[in-house]
Amino acid sequence: MDLKRTFLSIMVWGVMALVNMPQIAWAQTLEDKAKPWAFWPWGNGGVSKASIHADLVNMKNIGLGGMLLVPVHRMDERQDKKDEEWVFSPKFWKMVDYSFQLADSLGLGIGVSCPDEFLTACSSTILPEEAMQHVVWTDSLIHGSKILGLQLLRPQSYKDGKFQPVGSEGGYYEDIAAFAIPCQENVDKRDAAKQKGVGTSALSEVVGLDDVVRLSLENGKIVAATQNGNELKKIPKGTWRLLRMGHTVMVRSNNETIENGNGLEEDQFSLVSAQKRFASWYEKFLERPYSDVIKYLQIDSKENNDQNWGYRFAEEFKARRGYDLIPYLPVVAEVRLQSTEKYEQVRKDIRKTIRELVGEKYMKPLVAMAKEYDLEVSDDGVEIIDVVNLAPEKMKQKVDHCLTLGVNKILFRLPNHQTWSKAKGDMVAYVDNCQRWLQQGNEVVDIAVLLDEDSLSFASQPHRKTMPVPSGYKYDFINTETLLRWNPEASYKVGKPERQDFRILVVPQLQLSEEVKKKVEQLREAGIIVVDNLGKTRDFSENGISPDVEMPENLDYTHRRVLEPQARKDIYFLVNQEGKERTVTVTFRTQNVAIRQVVKLSLPAYGSVFVVMTDKDGMKIFNPLVGE
């Protein structure tokens, strides 16, 4: 799956757009699916049957198809709230049941979100060994050769203005390994004082792997030392950097737990964690009366970019990367082992293993569990834009921008318990008209831009990085996993509706693995145009890929194609980005590379238009504000 589809769900503080959500069976008709939805937060339990009724009836009256339920609770705002209003309290479930029953009677759908600030992850049901882990270490210097019997402090964390041992006061900590690293003789002892705890600054010289001494500890005391398999009574004289490395739970100040206090965040390298999340949150909703109104779930794909240890991480690393991580663990503390190239490779392999584990052990199982209920799943990656108080024309500009990015499912955030004006109700009808067309077929994108394979950002928003794309072309981001699966011979015609017919690959100046380099060359040989910088190219007409749309400045578009056994339909949505009426000439690429379709359009200020061309019925043009 391309990354714009994976990451670009635009949550608007007024509009949330979920890009091309997977085509899983809905219990709704195509007409129902086209309707926009509402982002529906329950703030600190502040809902009642009266307010729920007012909200849902309002949503129905203005033409919405459903709502995304987002229970939002913050402990720091809860002093005046009664326990009965807390999530999972009897009153909470009464309100949920009433919402489901009323939504069912009104013909509305419901989505269930992971609540504010990872509420479902931070639960007392998560044991320390099941929680997110990260590597921590004590980093100190000694001068001499006698190390047996030395006591190494437990790694430190900085809290309340002082350092204290990680996992102290009943917390969780486990040792992984300890090392003695030879250092330059002129290292200032004061450097060690700067290197306590997590995030230390490493010494810059490269250290040979054979020069590292492995230390065995008992309760933090060095009881044995080995080098290249040989037991040592003492180490050579000199300056040594001692690392005691272990792992502990990732604890953050989190006020949004299900219970009345802080909890731990679940390990996203573990299938058990995925099962616990589904059972402890989503399944509770799915087992309520009238739960058939639930149409999709929203799942956070990555809650914390700092997790670098977890369930069987060392074993998984060895199985996937082909070598033992433990001898190279000092690279996490920025020790350059063996060579600079090896140091960079190990760090890259760690990031790749993390990325794979989150996808395979956590996200895929969650999606599979949701599919068992015939639910649609949207991944996270949200951008919040406040449009609640915008005038309708400003809201339309925000909506149109989302649509030209490839969005085809929009959620409005309604002012709670307030009826929308007719003008904003008309905006709902406009979005409905647009989505009826933009949910058909597949997005047409010529250019794939390869992301750095080291990237760990599961919740990033790569669409925010503006690429200097030649006018008339659309681009999308892909990661290395998608690149390696790319079969340029597989198109819509051979049953690959999720694939895009990318014809151009942009490979920025990145450090590429041999596997990726080989794949890039295979794609080049298969006829894919490979470039390293779009800014160097005006267009790709000389390569037989003319602009999809040739248009004047300050117009934008999106293009979807529907391929059927006996016909083809091309759907173009164009937007005037200027605040004045314009008459423009636009040309469209056709199946015959020598011929372009010429269309003259009249567009009002910030207006939009659909141009639909079919093999069977020819071309039609219409304003989505009024429909066909």
Side-chain angles (χ1 to χ4, degrees), residues 513-532:
S513 65
E514 291 303 315
E515 183 181 28
V516 171
K517 289 180 182 178
K518 182 179 179 181
K519 182 64 178 184
V520 170
E521 288 308 309
Q522 289 176 350
L523 292 171
R524 194 195 307 269
E525 292 172 4
I528 301 299
I529 308 303
V530 179
V531 298
D532 62 6

Side-chain angles (χ1 to χ4, degrees), residues 379-608:
D379 199 2
D380 77 354
V382 297
E383 177 180 353
I384 296 178
I385 305 172
D386 188 354
V387 300
V388 170
N389 296 317
L390 289 180
E393 62 272 16
K394 291 293 184 181
M395 186 180 293
K396 180 180 183 300
Q397 293 171 42
K398 294 286 187 181
V399 167
D400 286 345
H401 177 66
C402 290
L403 297 178
T404 59
L405 286 174
V407 170
N408 64 4
K409 186 69 178 180
I410 286 178
L411 283 76
F412 291 98
R413 184 174 187 266
L414 306 179
N416 284 352
H417 322 320
Q418 296 180 26
T419 303
W420 258 21
S421 66
K422 181 181 183 301
K424 288 186 177 179
D426 290 343
M427 181 55 57
V428 173
Y430 169 74
V431 173
D432 189 352
N433 289 336
C434 291
Q435 291 180 170
R436 288 172 191 272
W437 289 97
L438 296 178
Q439 289 179 6
Q440 298 183 42
N442 298 85
E443 188 180 8
V444 177
V445 177
D446 291 313
I447 302 172
V449 180
L450 181 63
L451 288 173
D452 189 343
E453 59 185 307
D454 286 351
S455 174
L456 273 183
S457 184
F458 288 78
S460 65
Q461 297 156 350
H463 65 284
R464 301 184 76 175
K465 302 175 184 177
T466 302
M467 300 293 296
V469 179
S471 176
Y473 299 89
K474 287 290 183 177
Y475 73 97
D476 215 337
F477 289 91
I478 61 171
N479 57 14
T480 54
E481 287 83 356
T482 303
L483 178 80
L484 295 174
R485 294 196 303 267
W486 186 347
N487 178 5
E489 296 180 358
S491 68
Y492 308 135
K493 298 178 182 178
V494 290
K496 291 287 184 180
E498 78 281 3
R499 272 289 323 136
Q500 299 211 28
D501 284 330
F502 293 128
R503 306 168 74 183
I504 301 158
L505 173 63
V506 180
V507 184
Q509 299 296 327
L510 304 172
Q511 290 186 342
L512 304 177
S513 65
E514 291 303 315
E515 183 181 28
V516 171
K517 289 180 182 178
K518 182 179 179 181
K519 182 64 178 184
V520 170
E521 288 308 309
Q522 289 176 350
L523 292 171
R524 194 195 307 269
E525 292 172 4
I528 301 299
I529 308 303
V530 179
V531 298
D532 62 6
N533 188 342
L534 285 173
K536 299 177 181 178
T537 308
R538 289 191 60 187
D539 64 47
F540 295 92
S541 297
E542 293 182 358
N543 304 107
I545 308 172
S546 63
D548 189 12
V549 180
E550 289 182 340
M551 56 190 176
E553 291 185 352
N554 298 325
L555 261 70
D556 202 356
Y557 79 98
T558 191
H559 174 195
R560 299 187 70 85
R561 179 176 297 144
V562 182
L563 290 180
E564 299 171 346
Q566 305 298 326
R568 161 176 161 164
K569 184 192 304 181
D570 285 282
I571 303 166
Y572 291 91
F573 174 73
L574 293 96
V575 175
N576 176 16
Q577 297 176 317
E578 292 186 2
K580 62 181 180 181
E581 184 177 351
R582 301 169 68 188
T583 299
V584 297
T585 299
V586 180
T587 72
F588 301 91
R589 188 168 62 204
T590 66
Q591 297 180 63
N592 186 333
V593 295
I595 300 174
R596 296 189 66 84
Q597 176 70 52
V598 181
V599 178
K600 191 172 183 178
L601 300 170
S602 294
L603 293 168
Y606 301 114
S608 53

